[in-house]
Amino acid sequence: MIQHDPGALYPDHLAVLCRRAETALARGGFDHLVVPSGTLHYHLFDDRDYPYAVNPQFKAWLPLTRVPHSWLVFTPGKRPTVIFHQPFDYWHVVPDAPSGWWVEHFDIQVIRKPEEALALLPRDRSRCAVLGEAQSTLGEWVPNNPAPVLDYLEYHRAYKTPYEIALMRQAQVLGVRGHRAAEAAFRNGADEFSIHMAYCAAVGQDANELPYGNIVALNEHAAVLHYTELGRTAPQPLRSFLIDAGASALGYASDITRTHAAHGHDEFAAMIGAVDAAQQQMCAAVRPGFDYKQLHVDAHLSLMGVLKDFGVLKVSPQTAVETGISAAFFPHGIGHLIGLQVHDVAGFAAGDAGGRIERPAGHPYLRLTRVLEAGMVVTIEPGLYFIDMLLDEVKQAGHGASIAWDRVDFFRPYGGIRIEDEVLCTDGEADNLTRPEFVLANG
Ligand code: GLY
Ligand code: MN
Ligand code: MN
């Protein structure tokens, strides 16, 4: 049976991180790994702070996302230390005292002021790899972010531990809860802002806690890839709804997109169904040894097949891909690594000692070029859009006759379609983390 309790899985996760850190330090010639959790950032000329975003290198070790001015220190062969900042502060709620299933694995030093960390950090600063943003600087402790250490850790972060998978499954459960509430709000005629609020309420997270800004797009707005305006008035008539929204679970992200047709818009609903079926085939292609670049290129062909079937293309799918027309309808990458960050790091890494695998020519927005291996979690997010700016370029390139413009006119008012799931690459079949949660939620 699969173990889903993060607390039970955490000791093994920590052991993996310790092993990785040991090798990373050896690669860089350092004795200690030092990771500040980060600090608050302030608006210019203002005492107002931005929402705090924890250093991903810190939350990789600890399920702590809200303890600025704290530090993780790891020295091979020793228990890791957490310098835990719990200020005396009557203006703000301070972090609870350290508790939970992680505490028994650390030496914990509680500090009340950020500078108290200075006495607790390793003695010889020159022997430390300090991973953090410049703003985390404390006295002489300036993050040095050595490339050999970062390259190694970031490359291996693509391989999720069972603990991480368990948390990513939790992030799916929450996200799906929100998606169901959002669809219900759409069916009730709500505007984008109200749909967003329904989503947040169902997930139990506000915009600052979600892993990225919700994309809630009605009608033509679905053609704007990162539409985050949240209109206060529902357009009339309502034709379509695209929602790209995730959730967070102890620092891990989900990233889910669904597209819905309003009742009575059967042809657009059928096109959504066709993209959905194609997307599921793409998800099934996630297996070890498969080049993600190829998955992206194959997606172009498959999506052009949908457009051909719906009479939008006058040429073959193959010709649409070869002439670059497909990039006007599918103008983003098929997906990306995901985990501690929604667009997780090292998507282009050639290896754990650096180097870069370039994108295929003509595909400038692909975010992952690595060959898939067991343990990776990727998104699979094909889309089809009706974007005048890009379609004009097709005309200017002399390919206008390849497109049935009356069909473009028909579909333009719907904006577009995107379907996005997270898929875990295993030694066997692809494990779609998202779909089963929709099935369970639909009872
Ligand atoms: N939500 C951003 C993306 O899908 O990559
Ligand atoms: Mn995505
Ligand atoms: Mn997304």
Side-chain angles (χ1 to χ4, degrees):
M1 203 187 96
I2 303 175
Q3 172 60 263
H4 291 302
D5 171 18
L9 296 167
Y10 182 72
D12 285 345
H13 171 73
L14 188 59
V16 168
L17 288 198
C18 290
R19 277 201 301 277
R20 286 181 189 164
E22 218 167 306
T23 308
L25 289 170
R27 292 265 178 105
F30 295 97
D31 296 335
H32 314 278
L33 185 73
V34 175
V35 187
S37 64
T39 60
L40 292 176
H41 293 211
Y42 289 85
H43 292 231
L44 187 63
F45 305 136
D46 201 338
D47 64 357
R48 196 175 148 215
D49 50 337
Y50 288 103
Y52 167 69
V54 61
N55 177 355
Q57 292 287 353
F58 183 87
K59 66 174 173 171
W61 289 79
L62 292 154
L64 300 175
T65 57
R66 298 171 74 165
V67 285
H69 301 291
S70 298
W71 299 72
L72 174 283
V73 180
F74 171 70
T75 305
K78 294 198 182 154
R79 265 159 79 84
T81 298
V82 180
I83 302 170
F84 189 97
H85 182 236
Q86 191 190 27
F88 292 121
D89 180 350
Y90 59 86
W91 290 90
H92 306 99
V93 171
V94 300
D96 288 335
S99 67
W101 30 262
W102 62 273
V103 294
E104 65 187 270
H105 303 285
F106 289 82
D107 287 331
I108 299 172
Q109 311 272 354
V110 174
I111 57 172
R112 302 301 187 176
K113 295 197 176 104
E115 29 324 340
E116 288 171 22
L118 289 169
L120 301 168
L121 291 168
R123 210 158 287 144
D124 187 353
R125 212 167 21 83
S126 70
R127 304 298 310 143
C128 296
V130 187
L131 309 185
E133 59 179 351
Q135 193 163 329
S136 297
T137 298
L138 179 68
E140 306 280 299
W141 287 86
V142 182
N144 53 359
N145 296 318
V149 177
L150 270 182
D151 285 345
Y152 187 88
L153 293 180
E154 291 192 341
Y155 180 83
H156 288 281
R157 215 167 88 189
Y159 309 108
K160 269 53 183 181
T161 65
Y163 163 82
E164 294 180 299
I165 302 295
L167 289 179
M168 292 181 75
R169 285 189 203 277
Q170 287 186 7
Q172 305 296 324
V173 173
L174 293 170
V176 167
R177 209 176 277 167
H179 272 260
R180 282 168 49 83
E183 185 187 354
F186 163 66
R187 301 268 174 226
N188 279 331
D191 58 79
E192 292 161 348
F193 181 76
S194 303
I195 295 172
H196 166 73
M197 296 306 278
Y199 182 93
C200 289
V203 174
Q205 294 178 3
D206 76 6
N208 295 334
E209 297 168 291
L210 295 175
Y212 58 91
N214 279 355
I215 296 168
V216 176
L218 294 170
N219 294 357
E220 292 90 344
H221 295 161
V224 181
L225 300 184
H226 281 176
Y227 175 85
T228 51
E229 289 302 299
L230 299 175
R232 273 30 174 202
T233 310
Q236 293 299 334
L238 278 170
R239 290 179 289 264
S240 60
F241 171 41
L242 184 155
I243 173 164
D244 182 342
S248 305
L250 295 180
Y252 288 84
S254 59
D255 179 8
I256 303 169
T257 309
R258 289 293 182 267
T259 309
H260 306 281
H263 292 305
H265 292 264
D266 297 343
E267 197 163 9
F268 185 64
M271 188 183 263
I272 295 172
V275 174
D276 193 71
Q279 191 264 5
Q280 293 196 55
Q281 285 188 357
M282 296 170 206
C283 291
V286 171
R287 59 177 184 274
F290 200 81
D291 189 336
Y292 195 80
K293 294 194 290 299
Q294 188 60 46
L295 216 154
H296 171 82
V297 171
D298 292 349
H300 272 263
L301 201 56
S302 157
L303 289 167
M304 291 312 102
V306 173
L307 287 185
K308 178 77 181 166
D309 290 346
F310 281 80
V312 176
L313 282 182
K314 290 183 170 172
V315 293
S316 71
Q318 191 68 43
T319 302
V321 172
E322 285 164 8
T323 51
I325 295 171
S326 66
F329 290 105
F330 174 39
H332 58 74
I334 188 62
H336 47 88
L337 291 167
I338 180 167
L340 287 163
Q341 291 160 236
V342 65
H343 296 159
D344 217 351
V345 290
F348 304 102
D352 62 18
R356 183 179 163 92
I357 307 169
E358 293 302 336
R359 301 178 174 102
H363 298 276
Y365 299 112
L366 185 58
R367 289 194 173 97
L368 173 57
T369 53
R370 289 167 68 169
V371 171
L372 295 170
E373 290 179 62
M376 287 181 171
V377 181
V378 297
T379 68
I380 298 291
E381 49 180 304
L384 281 177
Y385 312 86
F386 299 90
I387 303 172
D388 284 330
M389 190 175 100
L390 300 180
L391 294 173
D392 284 347
E393 288 176 12
V394 171
K395 273 188 200 152
Q396 280 158 21
H399 298 303
S402 303
I403 292 174
W405 293 100
D406 58 329
R407 300 297 285 158
V408 170
D409 292 342
F410 176 82
F411 285 111
R412 186 187 291 106
Y414 297 99
I417 298 170
R418 181 162 67 255
I419 313 278
E420 177 175 24
D421 292 337
E422 268 82 270
V423 183
L424 167 65
C425 183
T426 76
D427 287 321
E429 291 189 358
D431 183 357
N432 188 315
L433 302 182
T434 313
R435 296 245 168 196
E437 302 309 334
F438 276 102
V439 173
L440 281 174
N442 288 331

